[in-house]
Amino acid sequence: VQLQASGGGLVQAGGSLRLACAPSGTIFSAAIMGWYRQAPGKQRELVASASRSNTIYADSVKGRFTISRDYAKDTVYLQMNSLKPEDTAVYFCNARPSSVPVTDVRLGIWGQGTLVTVSS
């Protein structure tokens, strides 16, 4: 199974983007799907994750980003509003079983990444 992410691009500060991620091939109904990001020179970090019972956001994106899932399509979205230059990063989608903590930035199935660039 592979995850395909889309929706990145260049946007001015204050603008919005919507990322989408879906599996190519067999639908596998992951317990948790989420988004992570990695800025140049920095470690990969959790942005948001969603399961049927819980949604988690990084403090830096609370109130600006919204994660949602279409369970019928195994698709996860990230609506990003009020974007800031510090949101510039490669965004990766991820799928994992509930046994893997969302804070683990190594495990699970990863998408190829989509670049988000926010200009000031």
Side-chain angles (χ1 to χ4, degrees), residues 29-78:
S29 301
I32 301 172
M33 294 190 78
W35 292 94
Y36 295 72
R37 67 186 180 186
Q38 188 165 15
K42 295 188 177 181
Q43 292 187 336
R44 190 171 298 187
E45 62 177 1
L46 171 69
V47 176
S49 69
S51 67
R52 290 190 182 272
S53 59
N54 193 26
T55 302
I56 297 173
Y57 292 96
D59 288 342
S60 58
V61 307
K62 283 180 181 177
R64 300 188 298 121
F65 291 11
T66 302
I67 189 171
S68 60
R69 292 182 65 175
D70 182 333
Y71 286 90
K73 298 179 181 179
D74 247 355
T75 300
V76 62
Y77 303 95
L78 186 68

mmCIF file of all heavy atoms in Angstrom, residues 29-78:
data_model
loop_
_atom_site.group_PDB
_atom_site.id
_atom_site.type_symbol
_atom_site.label_atom_id
_atom_site.label_comp_id
_atom_site.label_asym_id
_atom_site.label_seq_id
_atom_site.Cartn_x
_atom_site.Cartn_y
_atom_site.Cartn_z
ATOM 1 N N SER A 29 -8.057 0.763 5.653
ATOM 2 C CA SER A 29 -8.761 1.202 6.866
ATOM 3 C C SER A 29 -7.849 1.347 8.081
ATOM 4 O O SER A 29 -8.018 0.653 9.085
ATOM 5 C CB SER A 29 -9.902 0.213 7.192
ATOM 6 O OG SER A 29 -10.806 0.144 6.124
ATOM 7 N N ALA A 30 -6.891 2.239 7.962
ATOM 8 C CA ALA A 30 -5.984 2.478 9.084
ATOM 9 C C ALA A 30 -6.742 3.060 10.269
ATOM 10 O O ALA A 30 -7.638 3.878 10.105
ATOM 11 C CB ALA A 30 -4.885 3.441 8.660
ATOM 12 N N ALA A 31 -6.325 2.665 11.464
ATOM 13 C CA ALA A 31 -6.956 3.203 12.676
ATOM 14 C C ALA A 31 -6.680 4.694 12.814
ATOM 15 O O ALA A 31 -7.557 5.469 13.177
ATOM 16 C CB ALA A 31 -6.453 2.451 13.899
ATOM 17 N N ILE A 32 -5.460 5.079 12.522
ATOM 18 C CA ILE A 32 -5.045 6.483 12.680
ATOM 19 C C ILE A 32 -4.431 6.949 11.362
ATOM 20 O O ILE A 32 -3.600 6.276 10.782
ATOM 21 C CB ILE A 32 -4.009 6.639 13.800
ATOM 22 C CG1 ILE A 32 -4.581 6.153 15.138
ATOM 23 C CG2 ILE A 32 -3.547 8.085 13.902
ATOM 24 C CD1 ILE A 32 -3.557 6.101 16.252
ATOM 25 N N MET A 33 -4.864 8.103 10.921
ATOM 26 C CA MET A 33 -4.212 8.772 9.790
ATOM 27 C C MET A 33 -3.865 10.175 10.238
ATOM 28 O O MET A 33 -4.590 10.784 11.038
ATOM 29 C CB MET A 33 -5.090 8.787 8.549
ATOM 30 C CG MET A 33 -5.345 7.403 7.973
ATOM 31 S SD MET A 33 -6.152 7.447 6.355
ATOM 32 C CE MET A 33 -4.765 7.856 5.293
ATOM 33 N N GLY A 34 -2.756 10.660 9.731
ATOM 34 C CA GLY A 34 -2.345 11.981 10.183
ATOM 35 C C GLY A 34 -1.393 12.650 9.223
ATOM 36 O O GLY A 34 -1.051 12.103 8.167
ATOM 37 N N TRP A 35 -1.019 13.840 9.602
ATOM 38 C CA TRP A 35 -0.083 14.652 8.839
ATOM 39 C C TRP A 35 1.098 15.040 9.724
ATOM 40 O O TRP A 35 0.918 15.404 10.890
ATOM 41 C CB TRP A 35 -0.771 15.922 8.326
ATOM 42 C CG TRP A 35 -1.809 15.645 7.287
ATOM 43 C CD1 TRP A 35 -3.151 15.461 7.477
ATOM 44 C CD2 TRP A 35 -1.586 15.509 5.886
ATOM 45 N NE1 TRP A 35 -3.772 15.214 6.287
ATOM 46 C CE2 TRP A 35 -2.832 15.246 5.298
ATOM 47 C CE3 TRP A 35 -0.467 15.587 5.062
ATOM 48 C CZ2 TRP A 35 -2.985 15.055 3.919
ATOM 49 C CZ3 TRP A 35 -0.612 15.405 3.708
ATOM 50 C CH2 TRP A 35 -1.861 15.151 3.143
ATOM 51 N N TYR A 36 2.270 14.948 9.129
ATOM 52 C CA TYR A 36 3.505 15.369 9.761
ATOM 53 C C TYR A 36 4.184 16.345 8.822
ATOM 54 O O TYR A 36 3.867 16.400 7.639
ATOM 55 C CB TYR A 36 4.412 14.153 10.020
ATOM 56 C CG TYR A 36 3.829 13.174 11.016
ATOM 57 C CD1 TYR A 36 2.759 12.371 10.678
ATOM 58 C CD2 TYR A 36 4.340 13.069 12.306
ATOM 59 C CE1 TYR A 36 2.194 11.485 11.590
ATOM 60 C CE2 TYR A 36 3.800 12.185 13.227
ATOM 61 C CZ TYR A 36 2.734 11.396 12.862
ATOM 62 O OH TYR A 36 2.180 10.516 13.772
ATOM 63 N N ARG A 37 5.132 17.095 9.334
ATOM 64 C CA ARG A 37 5.864 18.007 8.472
ATOM 65 C C ARG A 37 7.336 18.055 8.892
ATOM 66 O O ARG A 37 7.673 17.797 10.048
ATOM 67 C CB ARG A 37 5.253 19.399 8.489
ATOM 68 C CG ARG A 37 5.373 20.142 9.816
ATOM 69 C CD ARG A 37 4.598 21.455 9.760
ATOM 70 N NE ARG A 37 4.689 22.203 11.013
ATOM 71 C CZ ARG A 37 4.006 23.316 11.269
ATOM 72 N NH1 ARG A 37 3.164 23.811 10.349
ATOM 73 N NH2 ARG A 37 4.149 23.935 12.425
ATOM 74 N N GLN A 38 8.148 18.400 7.920
ATOM 75 C CA GLN A 38 9.574 18.534 8.177
ATOM 76 C C GLN A 38 10.085 19.757 7.446
ATOM 77 O O GLN A 38 10.058 19.812 6.205
ATOM 78 C CB GLN A 38 10.339 17.281 7.730
ATOM 79 C CG GLN A 38 11.790 17.285 8.146
ATOM 80 C CD GLN A 38 12.427 15.913 8.021
ATOM 81 O OE1 GLN A 38 11.895 15.013 7.383
ATOM 82 N NE2 GLN A 38 13.566 15.731 8.647
ATOM 83 N N ALA A 39 10.532 20.710 8.225
ATOM 84 C CA ALA A 39 11.110 21.928 7.660
ATOM 85 C C ALA A 39 12.607 21.710 7.470
ATOM 86 O O ALA A 39 13.207 20.855 8.122
ATOM 87 C CB ALA A 39 10.848 23.106 8.600
ATOM 88 N N PRO A 40 13.241 22.492 6.596
ATOM 89 C CA PRO A 40 14.683 22.331 6.363
ATOM 90 C C PRO A 40 15.472 22.451 7.658
ATOM 91 O O PRO A 40 15.294 23.400 8.427
ATOM 92 C CB PRO A 40 15.001 23.484 5.406
ATOM 93 C CG PRO A 40 13.721 23.753 4.700
ATOM 94 C CD PRO A 40 12.649 23.515 5.707
ATOM 95 N N GLY A 41 16.331 21.472 7.898
ATOM 96 C CA GLY A 41 17.171 21.504 9.081
ATOM 97 C C GLY A 41 16.495 21.129 10.375
ATOM 98 O O GLY A 41 17.107 21.207 11.442
ATOM 99 N N LYS A 42 15.234 20.741 10.294
ATOM 100 C CA LYS A 42 14.489 20.388 11.501
ATOM 101 C C LYS A 42 14.009 18.941 11.444
ATOM 102 O O LYS A 42 13.970 18.329 10.386
ATOM 103 C CB LYS A 42 13.299 21.330 11.688
ATOM 104 C CG LYS A 42 13.699 22.769 11.944
ATOM 105 C CD LYS A 42 12.500 23.617 12.309
ATOM 106 C CE LYS A 42 12.914 25.037 12.639
ATOM 107 N NZ LYS A 42 11.739 25.882 13.018
ATOM 108 N N GLN A 43 13.641 18.430 12.597
ATOM 109 C CA GLN A 43 13.117 17.080 12.658
ATOM 110 C C GLN A 43 11.654 17.042 12.230
ATOM 111 O O GLN A 43 10.929 18.031 12.309
ATOM 112 C CB GLN A 43 13.262 16.538 14.091
ATOM 113 C CG GLN A 43 14.701 16.310 14.517
ATOM 114 C CD GLN A 43 14.799 15.621 15.866
ATOM 115 O OE1 GLN A 43 13.886 15.685 16.681
ATOM 116 N NE2 GLN A 43 15.904 14.926 16.095
ATOM 117 N N ARG A 44 11.241 15.890 11.768
ATOM 118 C CA ARG A 44 9.845 15.692 11.414
ATOM 119 C C ARG A 44 8.995 15.805 12.678
ATOM 120 O O ARG A 44 9.377 15.329 13.738
ATOM 121 C CB ARG A 44 9.656 14.322 10.768
ATOM 122 C CG ARG A 44 8.295 14.103 10.158
ATOM 123 C CD ARG A 44 8.252 12.820 9.341
ATOM 124 N NE ARG A 44 9.187 12.866 8.220
ATOM 125 C CZ ARG A 44 9.239 11.932 7.276
ATOM 126 N NH1 ARG A 44 8.416 10.886 7.333
ATOM 127 N NH2 ARG A 44 10.108 12.024 6.299
ATOM 128 N N GLU A 45 7.842 16.447 12.536
ATOM 129 C CA GLU A 45 6.976 16.637 13.691
ATOM 130 C C GLU A 45 5.520 16.365 13.325
ATOM 131 O O GLU A 45 5.110 16.530 12.171
ATOM 132 C CB GLU A 45 7.094 18.079 14.217
ATOM 133 C CG GLU A 45 6.670 19.142 13.238
ATOM 134 C CD GLU A 45 6.729 20.554 13.821
ATOM 135 O OE1 GLU A 45 7.123 20.714 14.991
ATOM 136 O OE2 GLU A 45 6.363 21.497 13.094
ATOM 137 N N LEU A 46 4.762 15.993 14.334
ATOM 138 C CA LEU A 46 3.339 15.768 14.152
ATOM 139 C C LEU A 46 2.628 17.098 13.949
ATOM 140 O O LEU A 46 2.866 18.055 14.682
ATOM 141 C CB LEU A 46 2.770 15.054 15.371
ATOM 142 C CG LEU A 46 1.245 14.929 15.445
ATOM 143 C CD1 LEU A 46 0.727 13.977 14.379
ATOM 144 C CD2 LEU A 46 0.816 14.478 16.830
ATOM 145 N N VAL A 47 1.743 17.144 12.960
ATOM 146 C CA VAL A 47 0.888 18.307 12.751
ATOM 147 C C VAL A 47 -0.507 18.016 13.291
ATOM 148 O O VAL A 47 -1.050 18.770 14.088
ATOM 149 C CB VAL A 47 0.804 18.677 11.261
ATOM 150 C CG1 VAL A 47 -0.169 19.826 11.048
ATOM 151 C CG2 VAL A 47 2.180 19.018 10.713
ATOM 152 N N ALA A 48 -1.082 16.914 12.848
ATOM 153 C CA ALA A 48 -2.415 16.531 13.302
ATOM 154 C C ALA A 48 -2.656 15.064 12.995
ATOM 155 O O ALA A 48 -2.117 14.538 12.026
ATOM 156 C CB ALA A 48 -3.493 17.376 12.627
ATOM 157 N N SER A 49 -3.459 14.429 13.822
ATOM 158 C CA SER A 49 -3.830 13.048 13.568
ATOM 159 C C SER A 49 -5.286 12.846 13.940
ATOM 160 O O SER A 49 -5.833 13.595 14.763
ATOM 161 C CB SER A 49 -2.949 12.079 14.360
ATOM 162 O OG SER A 49 -3.222 12.167 15.740
ATOM 163 N N ALA A 50 -5.896 11.842 13.332
ATOM 164 C CA ALA A 50 -7.317 11.597 13.576
ATOM 165 C C ALA A 50 -7.621 10.109 13.568
ATOM 166 O O ALA A 50 -7.160 9.370 12.692
ATOM 167 C CB ALA A 50 -8.160 12.306 12.512
ATOM 168 N N SER A 51 -8.397 9.711 14.551
ATOM 169 C CA SER A 51 -8.975 8.381 14.595
ATOM 170 C C SER A 51 -10.471 8.568 14.811
ATOM 171 O O SER A 51 -10.950 9.693 14.900
ATOM 172 C CB SER A 51 -8.368 7.564 15.732
ATOM 173 O OG SER A 51 -8.747 8.114 16.983
ATOM 174 N N ARG A 52 -11.207 7.477 14.923
ATOM 175 C CA ARG A 52 -12.652 7.610 15.125
ATOM 176 C C ARG A 52 -12.980 8.220 16.480
ATOM 177 O O ARG A 52 -14.052 8.794 16.665
ATOM 178 C CB ARG A 52 -13.330 6.245 14.981
ATOM 179 C CG ARG A 52 -13.327 5.715 13.550
ATOM 180 C CD ARG A 52 -14.198 4.499 13.398
ATOM 181 N NE ARG A 52 -14.162 3.961 12.043
ATOM 182 C CZ ARG A 52 -14.979 4.358 11.071
ATOM 183 N NH1 ARG A 52 -15.866 5.308 11.307
ATOM 184 N NH2 ARG A 52 -14.890 3.815 9.868
ATOM 185 N N SER A 53 -12.033 8.129 17.432
ATOM 186 C CA SER A 53 -12.345 8.589 18.785
ATOM 187 C C SER A 53 -11.558 9.811 19.221
ATOM 188 O O SER A 53 -11.869 10.400 20.262
ATOM 189 C CB SER A 53 -12.075 7.450 19.790
ATOM 190 O OG SER A 53 -10.712 7.052 19.713
ATOM 191 N N ASN A 54 -10.564 10.213 18.440
ATOM 192 C CA ASN A 54 -9.691 11.268 18.942
ATOM 193 C C ASN A 54 -9.044 12.037 17.804
ATOM 194 O O ASN A 54 -8.716 11.465 16.764
ATOM 195 C CB ASN A 54 -8.601 10.660 19.832
ATOM 196 C CG ASN A 54 -7.873 11.709 20.629
ATOM 197 O OD1 ASN A 54 -8.413 12.769 20.925
ATOM 198 N ND2 ASN A 54 -6.631 11.417 20.986
ATOM 199 N N THR A 55 -8.886 13.326 18.023
ATOM 200 C CA THR A 55 -8.169 14.190 17.086
ATOM 201 C C THR A 55 -7.118 14.957 17.871
ATOM 202 O O THR A 55 -7.406 15.472 18.956
ATOM 203 C CB THR A 55 -9.134 15.184 16.409
ATOM 204 O OG1 THR A 55 -10.156 14.450 15.731
ATOM 205 C CG2 THR A 55 -8.391 16.031 15.387
ATOM 206 N N ILE A 56 -5.918 15.002 17.329
ATOM 207 C CA ILE A 56 -4.801 15.660 18.008
ATOM 208 C C ILE A 56 -4.195 16.692 17.083
ATOM 209 O O ILE A 56 -4.029 16.440 15.883
ATOM 210 C CB ILE A 56 -3.728 14.621 18.414
ATOM 211 C CG1 ILE A 56 -4.313 13.616 19.411
ATOM 212 C CG2 ILE A 56 -2.510 15.303 19.011
ATOM 213 C CD1 ILE A 56 -3.376 12.470 19.731
ATOM 214 N N TYR A 57 -3.875 17.838 17.629
ATOM 215 C CA TYR A 57 -3.206 18.907 16.875
ATOM 216 C C TYR A 57 -1.960 19.361 17.617
ATOM 217 O O TYR A 57 -1.941 19.423 18.851
ATOM 218 C CB TYR A 57 -4.127 20.120 16.702
ATOM 219 C CG TYR A 57 -5.316 19.880 15.815
ATOM 220 C CD1 TYR A 57 -6.552 19.541 16.339
ATOM 221 C CD2 TYR A 57 -5.206 20.006 14.430
ATOM 222 C CE1 TYR A 57 -7.661 19.327 15.532
ATOM 223 C CE2 TYR A 57 -6.299 19.798 13.606
ATOM 224 C CZ TYR A 57 -7.516 19.451 14.165
ATOM 225 O OH TYR A 57 -8.599 19.236 13.347
ATOM 226 N N ALA A 58 -0.957 19.723 16.854
ATOM 227 C CA ALA A 58 0.193 20.407 17.436
ATOM 228 C C ALA A 58 -0.268 21.777 17.919
ATOM 229 O O ALA A 58 -1.140 22.409 17.306
ATOM 230 C CB ALA A 58 1.298 20.550 16.407
ATOM 231 N N ASP A 59 0.327 22.244 19.012
ATOM 232 C CA ASP A 59 -0.064 23.545 19.553
ATOM 233 C C ASP A 59 0.086 24.650 18.508
ATOM 234 O O ASP A 59 -0.702 25.597 18.479
ATOM 235 C CB ASP A 59 0.777 23.871 20.781
ATOM 236 C CG ASP A 59 0.396 23.024 21.988
ATOM 237 O OD1 ASP A 59 -0.709 22.437 21.993
ATOM 238 O OD2 ASP A 59 1.212 22.942 22.929
ATOM 239 N N SER A 60 1.086 24.527 17.665
ATOM 240 C CA SER A 60 1.393 25.586 16.708
ATOM 241 C C SER A 60 0.327 25.736 15.622
ATOM 242 O O SER A 60 0.304 26.758 14.934
ATOM 243 C CB SER A 60 2.749 25.334 16.055
ATOM 244 O OG SER A 60 2.751 24.081 15.405
ATOM 245 N N VAL A 61 -0.536 24.741 15.454
ATOM 246 C CA VAL A 61 -1.538 24.814 14.379
ATOM 247 C C VAL A 61 -2.966 24.837 14.903
ATOM 248 O O VAL A 61 -3.903 24.975 14.109
ATOM 249 C CB VAL A 61 -1.371 23.655 13.371
ATOM 250 C CG1 VAL A 61 0.059 23.596 12.856
ATOM 251 C CG2 VAL A 61 -1.796 22.330 13.964
ATOM 252 N N LYS A 62 -3.148 24.711 16.195
ATOM 253 C CA LYS A 62 -4.495 24.710 16.768
ATOM 254 C C LYS A 62 -5.230 25.998 16.406
ATOM 255 O O LYS A 62 -4.686 27.091 16.505
ATOM 256 C CB LYS A 62 -4.428 24.560 18.286
ATOM 257 C CG LYS A 62 -4.143 23.150 18.761
ATOM 258 C CD LYS A 62 -4.098 23.075 20.276
ATOM 259 C CE LYS A 62 -3.780 21.662 20.746
ATOM 260 N NZ LYS A 62 -3.666 21.572 22.220
ATOM 261 N N GLY A 63 -6.470 25.825 15.979
ATOM 262 C CA GLY A 63 -7.276 26.972 15.596
ATOM 263 C C GLY A 63 -7.073 27.421 14.163
ATOM 264 O O GLY A 63 -7.838 28.238 13.653
ATOM 265 N N ARG A 64 -6.058 26.888 13.499
ATOM 266 C CA ARG A 64 -5.789 27.270 12.097
ATOM 267 C C ARG A 64 -5.948 26.098 11.148
ATOM 268 O O ARG A 64 -6.386 26.277 10.015
ATOM 269 C CB ARG A 64 -4.365 27.834 11.978
ATOM 270 C CG ARG A 64 -4.119 29.062 12.820
ATOM 271 C CD ARG A 64 -2.759 29.688 12.503
ATOM 272 N NE ARG A 64 -1.636 28.794 12.790
ATOM 273 C CZ ARG A 64 -0.745 28.405 11.885
ATOM 274 N NH1 ARG A 64 -0.831 28.830 10.639
ATOM 275 N NH2 ARG A 64 0.247 27.599 12.233
ATOM 276 N N PHE A 65 -5.567 24.917 11.594
ATOM 277 C CA PHE A 65 -5.621 23.718 10.741
ATOM 278 C C PHE A 65 -6.748 22.802 11.217
ATOM 279 O O PHE A 65 -7.035 22.714 12.410
ATOM 280 C CB PHE A 65 -4.312 22.936 10.820
ATOM 281 C CG PHE A 65 -3.123 23.610 10.187
ATOM 282 C CD1 PHE A 65 -3.156 24.933 9.770
ATOM 283 C CD2 PHE A 65 -1.945 22.902 10.014
ATOM 284 C CE1 PHE A 65 -2.065 25.538 9.198
ATOM 285 C CE2 PHE A 65 -0.832 23.489 9.438
ATOM 286 C CZ PHE A 65 -0.895 24.814 9.033
ATOM 287 N N THR A 66 -7.355 22.111 10.264
ATOM 288 C CA THR A 66 -8.384 21.133 10.584
ATOM 289 C C THR A 66 -8.124 19.845 9.820
ATOM 290 O O THR A 66 -7.994 19.872 8.592
ATOM 291 C CB THR A 66 -9.779 21.663 10.225
ATOM 292 O OG1 THR A 66 -10.029 22.886 10.919
ATOM 293 C CG2 THR A 66 -10.849 20.649 10.614
ATOM 294 N N ILE A 67 -8.065 18.752 10.544
ATOM 295 C CA ILE A 67 -7.897 17.442 9.915
ATOM 296 C C ILE A 67 -9.254 16.767 9.827
ATOM 297 O O ILE A 67 -10.096 16.904 10.728
ATOM 298 C CB ILE A 67 -6.892 16.568 10.698
ATOM 299 C CG1 ILE A 67 -6.567 15.289 9.914
ATOM 300 C CG2 ILE A 67 -7.391 16.250 12.099
ATOM 301 C CD1 ILE A 67 -5.414 14.485 10.518
ATOM 302 N N SER A 68 -9.468 16.057 8.730
ATOM 303 C CA SER A 68 -10.721 15.320 8.571
ATOM 304 C C SER A 68 -10.439 14.044 7.783
ATOM 305 O O SER A 68 -9.442 13.951 7.071
ATOM 306 C CB SER A 68 -11.774 16.173 7.868
ATOM 307 O OG SER A 68 -11.331 16.554 6.583
ATOM 308 N N ARG A 69 -11.336 13.108 7.927
ATOM 309 C CA ARG A 69 -11.179 11.823 7.238
ATOM 310 C C ARG A 69 -12.473 11.438 6.549
ATOM 311 O O ARG A 69 -13.569 11.675 7.055
ATOM 312 C CB ARG A 69 -10.774 10.718 8.236
ATOM 313 C CG ARG A 69 -9.402 10.886 8.800
ATOM 314 C CD ARG A 69 -9.045 9.743 9.727
ATOM 315 N NE ARG A 69 -8.965 8.463 9.009
ATOM 316 C CZ ARG A 69 -8.583 7.328 9.581
ATOM 317 N NH1 ARG A 69 -8.242 7.314 10.869
ATOM 318 N NH2 ARG A 69 -8.537 6.202 8.884
ATOM 319 N N ASP A 70 -12.309 10.820 5.385
ATOM 320 C CA ASP A 70 -13.411 10.161 4.693
ATOM 321 C C ASP A 70 -13.121 8.676 4.816
ATOM 322 O O ASP A 70 -12.280 8.129 4.099
ATOM 323 C CB ASP A 70 -13.470 10.593 3.232
ATOM 324 C CG ASP A 70 -14.637 9.968 2.489
ATOM 325 O OD1 ASP A 70 -15.089 8.867 2.867
ATOM 326 O OD2 ASP A 70 -15.096 10.574 1.513
ATOM 327 N N TYR A 71 -13.801 8.011 5.750
ATOM 328 C CA TYR A 71 -13.482 6.615 6.026
ATOM 329 C C TYR A 71 -13.888 5.702 4.874
ATOM 330 O O TYR A 71 -13.291 4.658 4.658
ATOM 331 C CB TYR A 71 -14.156 6.181 7.328
ATOM 332 C CG TYR A 71 -13.477 6.752 8.539
ATOM 333 C CD1 TYR A 71 -13.860 7.979 9.083
ATOM 334 C CD2 TYR A 71 -12.420 6.087 9.139
ATOM 335 C CE1 TYR A 71 -13.223 8.507 10.195
ATOM 336 C CE2 TYR A 71 -11.775 6.604 10.254
ATOM 337 C CZ TYR A 71 -12.179 7.820 10.766
ATOM 338 O OH TYR A 71 -11.537 8.345 11.861
ATOM 339 N N ALA A 72 -14.866 6.081 4.119
ATOM 340 C CA ALA A 72 -15.277 5.264 2.980
ATOM 341 C C ALA A 72 -14.194 5.231 1.908
ATOM 342 O O ALA A 72 -14.041 4.233 1.194
ATOM 343 C CB ALA A 72 -16.585 5.793 2.393
ATOM 344 N N LYS A 73 -13.439 6.331 1.795
ATOM 345 C CA LYS A 73 -12.399 6.418 0.776
ATOM 346 C C LYS A 73 -10.996 6.266 1.365
ATOM 347 O O LYS A 73 -10.019 6.340 0.621
ATOM 348 C CB LYS A 73 -12.497 7.770 0.060
ATOM 349 C CG LYS A 73 -13.798 7.993 -0.675
ATOM 350 C CD LYS A 73 -13.803 9.377 -1.340
ATOM 351 C CE LYS A 73 -15.107 9.625 -2.069
ATOM 352 N NZ LYS A 73 -15.133 10.984 -2.697
ATOM 353 N N ASP A 74 -10.906 6.076 2.686
ATOM 354 C CA ASP A 74 -9.597 5.973 3.336
ATOM 355 C C ASP A 74 -8.749 7.211 3.064
ATOM 356 O O ASP A 74 -7.524 7.119 2.938
ATOM 357 C CB ASP A 74 -8.842 4.730 2.846
ATOM 358 C CG ASP A 74 -8.671 3.704 3.951
ATOM 359 O OD1 ASP A 74 -9.059 4.001 5.105
ATOM 360 O OD2 ASP A 74 -8.155 2.617 3.673
ATOM 361 N N THR A 75 -9.385 8.343 2.977
ATOM 362 C CA THR A 75 -8.700 9.587 2.635
ATOM 363 C C THR A 75 -8.645 10.491 3.855
ATOM 364 O O THR A 75 -9.593 10.549 4.645
ATOM 365 C CB THR A 75 -9.441 10.285 1.480
ATOM 366 O OG1 THR A 75 -9.447 9.406 0.346
ATOM 367 C CG2 THR A 75 -8.742 11.587 1.100
ATOM 368 N N VAL A 76 -7.533 11.195 3.985
ATOM 369 C CA VAL A 76 -7.382 12.168 5.058
ATOM 370 C C VAL A 76 -7.063 13.521 4.445
ATOM 371 O O VAL A 76 -6.330 13.603 3.455
ATOM 372 C CB VAL A 76 -6.293 11.733 6.071
ATOM 373 C CG1 VAL A 76 -4.932 11.619 5.410
ATOM 374 C CG2 VAL A 76 -6.258 12.675 7.257
ATOM 375 N N TYR A 77 -7.645 14.559 5.011
ATOM 376 C CA TYR A 77 -7.466 15.920 4.515
ATOM 377 C C TYR A 77 -6.863 16.795 5.625
ATOM 378 O O TYR A 77 -7.042 16.525 6.816
ATOM 379 C CB TYR A 77 -8.805 16.517 4.089
ATOM 380 C CG TYR A 77 -9.544 15.713 3.046
ATOM 381 C CD1 TYR A 77 -10.515 14.781 3.413
ATOM 382 C CD2 TYR A 77 -9.265 15.870 1.699
ATOM 383 C CE1 TYR A 77 -11.194 14.032 2.471
ATOM 384 C CE2 TYR A 77 -9.945 15.126 0.738
ATOM 385 C CZ TYR A 77 -10.900 14.208 1.142
ATOM 386 O OH TYR A 77 -11.561 13.461 0.199
ATOM 387 N N LEU A 78 -6.198 17.838 5.186
ATOM 388 C CA LEU A 78 -5.718 18.843 6.129
ATOM 389 C C LEU A 78 -6.044 20.215 5.548
ATOM 390 O O LEU A 78 -5.437 20.621 4.551
ATOM 391 C CB LEU A 78 -4.218 18.712 6.377
ATOM 392 C CG LEU A 78 -3.656 19.641 7.460
ATOM 393 C CD1 LEU A 78 -4.194 19.229 8.842
ATOM 394 C CD2 LEU A 78 -2.131 19.613 7.457
#
